[in-house]
Structure formats: structure tokens, C-alpha cells
Amino acid sequence: MMLSRRVLSKEEETETTDNEVTKEDQEKINEFSRLHSRSKVIEEELEGKKKEKEDLEEVTTELELADEDELVRYRIGDTFTHLPLPTAQKLLEESGTEVDSEVSRLEDEISSMKEQMDALKAHLYARFGRGINLEG
Amino acid sequence: MASTSQEPTSTNPRGIPTFPFLPTPQDYIKDSTVEATLNRFQEMISKYNFMSQNVERRAAGLREKLPEMKKSLDTVKFLRMQKEGGPDEGDDDEDEDDDAEGKEGRLDVTFPLQDTLYSHATINTSQLDSVYLWLGANVMVAYPLAEAESMLADKLSKAKQSLRAAEEDLEFIRAQTTTLEVATARVHNWDVGEKRRLKAEGNDKSESKDADGDGDD
């Protein structure tokens, strides 16, 4: 995203405004740019967490079918510890709640960033029309 | 380049210089030419890009290390829990003698000996007091469990902080590059407008240093 450097066609040019870029505009453009790249980072992080959440849910269902008399090999760090089923389930539940709260934190962050970006977009398009491109 | 002397060059907390926003395109050009100014911008953009690549690499390194630190911390936490929850509790719980191996204070583990090779070990958790932490530089130190936990937690939070700092640097660099790109567009647009005006006045003094002149209407 940036002030377009290509030469605009005549029609496009009439759709741009002659507004000079003010310091305030520049700050808004920078903020938009910052949010844009940050939202990409957060989205990636969220994807990873969601995958983790799915995996944990899968394991939870799997463990419901496990034999209670047998020890579960539960992975902690790089080591598999041999634990009684209830202990493993408890640990699993703890990881589950941790991931859940991470996921909702990231989702909240993304939606608030989206809101701010929309507001900035509305403002900047109103000022510069086709002279600015804030997509992608 | 001692050109932008109007504002003392400020920097972000980690010493990355700010590219100042100036109110009009002419402020950037001053007594230089349009072409020289645009070249100067281009050069600064590549400098910022270079910095950004370095910081990006540092951030990637940290992102790789974080899960490992988390693993160590999780393991120490777990061992502590086993030790503390072990010997004195569980007598009247349903911890009967249904599992021969689940004897109190004993923990069986399958641990990686090599990347694809695992072995078996039994840890006597009731007598487990310390763990060995690899400090780097070929040094390993025994720590009491509680101390190991707080140290690892501390290291983890420090690593998270420096990752956040690296991310902030990237955002800062991005803002400077954006300002530069906007400045490039402003100077360019100003130049086009200026040429049109001169042409309209009929005294275009062939100031066509900037070669992509589209001032043909």
C-alpha cells in the first residue's frame, strides 16, 4: 500500500483529489501500514494456535476411549511420561484452557485492528480518492 | 548525508533513525534537484530494507527458540508437580494398588536418546531435588527445582520481550519506509504539476531532468 506511483489515466486523475499530504495524513497512513503488517503476523499466530486447539480436542476424544488401567504416554517437552489416565486428562484440560484463552485473545486483537483499519481507510479514501491504494 | 538538518535526527528506542515528515515536497528538495532527491530516497529505502532484513532474522531466531524454552519450563513445572503431589497425598484417593508402576514417588518416562531413538527411565520423584540446566558454553549447572523453574520462566519472558522489541523495530522501520514512499510520490507529483505549470506559462525551460515527463497536455 502506498501513494500510487504509476501514472493515472485521465478519468482516474479526475477522481483523485488535490489534497496535499499533511503530517496527520502521513501518521494515518503509517498507522494503517503498521496495522496491516501486524495483522498478518497475528493471523499467522492464530492459525497455529487454532491447529493446536484442534489437535488437543482430538486427543481428548481419543483419550475417552482409552483403557483406564493402562498408563498413558503423555508428552511433556520432548519426553513421554507414563501417567495414569486421570492425570493425563487433567494436564490435557489445562493445556486446552490455555490455548482457548490464547485463541480468543488473538481473535479480539485482530478484530480491533480490523476496526481501526476500516476507520483509517474511510478517512484516507475520502481525502485522496484514487490517488491512494490501501489494498493488499 | 547532512541534508535533513531541520529536525535533529531522532531515533526509536533502539537507535533506528526516523525519516522526518516535511510539510511540503519542496522542503525535501531544497536546493537539490528532483532527480537527486528521488535517488536519495531510493537509497534510504534500501538502507531501511537492509535493517529490516537483519531484524527479521533476529526475530525468526527468537521465534524458533521460544518453543524450546517453553518445553524446558513445562518439564520442570511438571516434575515439581509430581514431587509435591507425590509422596504424602493420595493414600485415601482411588490411587489403590491397581497400577504396579504407579507407585508413589516413581515416574516412568520414555525419553529421546537421539533424534529417532528413545529409551526408558524411572525417576524417583520423591528424591528428586534438582535438575541440570544447560547454560551454554559447555556448562551445565544443577538447580533446585523451584530455582530452575523461576530461572526458566524469567528467561522465557525476557525472550518474549526481545521478540516484541524486534517486532516493534520492524513496525517502526515499516513506518519510515512508508513515509519515504509517500515522500517519493509527493515529490514526483509536485514535479509533474510544476512542469505542467511551466509549460502552460509557455516558458518551459527544458527542466526535464526527470525523464518520465508526462506533462504533455
Side-chain angles (χ1 to χ4, degrees):
Chain A
M1 74 117 254
M2 63 191 79
L3 284 193
S4 168
R5 226 174 303 165
R6 75 205 152 84
V7 178
L8 298 174
S9 71
K10 275 224 181 90
E11 314 84 78
E12 282 178 322
E13 200 169 311
T14 55
E15 288 169 36
T16 69
T17 59
D18 276 339
N19 285 331
E20 261 297 323
V21 182
T22 65
K23 187 162 173 96
E24 196 203 348
D25 294 331
Q26 179 71 63
E27 273 158 13
K28 288 208 158 78
I29 294 170
N30 288 354
E31 180 62 6
F32 181 86
S33 166
R34 187 186 73 81
L35 288 167
H36 183 77
S37 71
R38 178 126 186 93
S39 67
K40 289 263 177 296
V41 174
I42 302 282
E43 264 162 31
E44 211 169 286
E45 204 179 319
L46 181 62
E47 277 312 300
K49 290 286 173 196
K50 275 188 175 159
K51 174 87 182 48
E52 213 178 312
K53 186 177 162 170
E54 267 171 42
D55 290 349
L56 285 173
E57 278 163 6
E58 208 170 300
V59 178
T60 311
T61 3
E62 201 70 33
L63 274 189
E64 273 163 23
L65 306 169
D67 185 348
E68 289 212 24
D69 298 332
E70 249 179 69
L71 295 177
V72 182
R73 266 129 237 245
Y74 192 81
R75 186 169 170 158
I76 292 168
D78 288 327
T79 302
F80 295 94
T81 54
H82 305 194
L83 297 174
L85 189 59
T87 318
Q89 280 170 330
K90 200 183 121 234
L91 290 173
L92 196 59
E93 204 188 305
E94 279 167 16
S95 316
T97 32
E98 198 183 313
V99 171
D100 278 350
S101 72
E102 282 281 288
V103 167
S104 51
R105 184 180 63 83
L106 294 174
E107 277 172 347
D108 287 354
E109 200 170 332
I110 286 181
S111 74
S112 102
M113 281 193 293
K114 288 253 149 70
E115 255 169 51
Q116 291 176 58
M117 279 163 73
D118 285 344
L120 290 169
K121 240 189 215 179
H123 176 92
L124 290 168
Y125 275 132
R127 268 187 61 75
F128 299 109
R130 294 292 287 266
I132 193 166
N133 176 20
L134 299 166
E135 309 301 327
Chain B
M1 242 173 251
S3 35
T4 42
S5 47
Q6 276 164 310
E7 288 169 44
T9 27
S10 62
T11 67
N12 87 335
R14 281 163 298 274
I16 299 172
T18 309
F19 176 77
F21 177 89
L22 305 181
T24 74
Q26 295 98 303
D27 292 334
Y28 285 116
I29 306 169
K30 280 196 269 173
D31 20 275
S32 174
T33 65
V34 168
E35 198 185 358
T37 309
L38 291 177
N39 283 340
R40 187 164 60 90
F41 287 173
Q42 208 47 54
E43 203 177 300
M44 288 165 88
I45 289 177
S46 7
K47 280 185 189 164
Y48 278 122
N49 283 345
F50 178 70
M51 267 188 262
S52 156
Q53 280 164 17
N54 281 334
V55 181
E56 185 55 67
R57 218 170 299 135
R58 188 151 44 87
L62 283 165
R63 266 188 216 113
E64 219 167 277
K65 256 199 267 162
L66 281 174
E68 276 173 41
M69 301 172 93
K70 181 92 171 49
K71 275 184 192 172
S72 305
L73 181 60
D74 283 350
T75 309
V76 174
K77 269 189 182 157
F78 173 75
L79 287 174
R80 260 191 94 182
M81 197 186 82
Q82 285 291 301
K83 185 181 159 65
E84 278 155 22
D88 39 24
E89 177 217 293
D91 301 25
D92 37 28
D93 272 41
E94 47 186 309
D95 257 47
E96 295 135 50
D97 48 356
D98 55 344
D99 36 312
E101 292 170 279
K103 268 191 228 141
E104 278 147 22
R106 273 188 47 164
L107 176 69
D108 282 320
V109 297
T110 307
F111 66 96
L113 203 55
Q114 247 290 335
D115 278 354
T116 54
L117 179 63
Y118 285 75
S119 185
H120 197 87
T122 302
I123 300 172
N124 187 341
T125 47
S126 56
Q127 278 173 27
L128 181 72
D129 294 319
S130 54
V131 285
Y132 296 85
L133 296 187
W134 181 260
L135 297 185
N138 285 337
V139 177
M140 199 154 76
V141 176
Y143 280 87
L145 283 177
E147 228 173 279
E149 186 181 326
S150 69
M151 187 177 110
L152 288 171
D154 190 45
K155 267 177 85 174
L156 184 66
S157 84
K158 284 214 177 92
K160 278 186 184 158
Q161 269 170 34
S162 24
L163 179 60
R164 187 68 202 113
E167 283 172 354
E168 272 168 19
D169 280 357
L170 286 175
E171 284 167 8
F172 180 81
I173 291 172
R174 207 186 153 80
Q176 308 319 304
T177 327
T178 310
T179 311
L180 267 161
E181 278 166 352
V182 171
T184 304
R186 286 166 67 208
V187 168
H188 180 82
N189 290 348
W190 175 83
D191 187 40
V192 170
E194 201 56 9
K195 277 190 194 136
R196 277 188 197 155
R197 195 176 55 80
L198 287 175
K199 198 156 192 180
E201 283 170 13
N203 50 357
D204 182 10
K205 290 171 191 162
S206 66
E207 212 244 64
S208 51
K209 273 170 189 154
D210 184 64
D212 57 0
D214 71 336
D216 54 338
D217 55 86

